Amino acid sequence: MRESRLQSKIISYLKANGIYYVNTYGSGMTAKGVPDLLICLNGKFIAFECKVDNNGMQPDQKIHEIRITRSNGKHYCPRTLSEAVSIIEKERGRDIG
């Protein structure tokens, strides 16, 4: 599966659950390394950098992860829809794991 397909599946889940998000993928105006999805959930800032297979984060993506966590935000790198759903539900306080 391509990362863009994983993003689309996560976006569908977010939409279906009325969760605010911004999809930064593909924007030529976005700073390099910004996470794919920026989510506001119950007042929490959550960032998803979607990866598939053995793909790892690039150095500029790791810099954003550090900056987000230093600012008390959450940064995740889900590799499957079920992993993303589990993260979202845990952050909602509805641990389904």
Side-chain angles (χ1 to χ4, degrees), residues 14-73:
L14 294 169
K15 283 182 182 178
N17 286 275
I19 299 169
Y20 179 82
Y21 72 93
V22 175
N23 179 7
T24 64
Y25 178 79
S27 171
M29 301 302 288
T30 305
K32 190 173 181 185
V34 171
D36 300 315
L37 298 170
L38 305 177
I39 302 163
C40 183
L41 180 63
N42 295 338
K44 298 176 187 176
F45 179 89
I46 301 167
F48 278 1
E49 180 59 50
C50 302
K51 294 292 181 187
V52 295
D53 302 325
N54 292 325
N55 293 348
M57 286 199 301
Q58 300 298 314
D60 52 336
Q61 294 170 330
K62 291 178 183 179
I63 289 168
H64 281 277
E65 177 184 24
I66 291 166
R67 289 177 177 168
I68 289 166
T69 56
R70 279 186 187 160
S71 297
N72 294 320

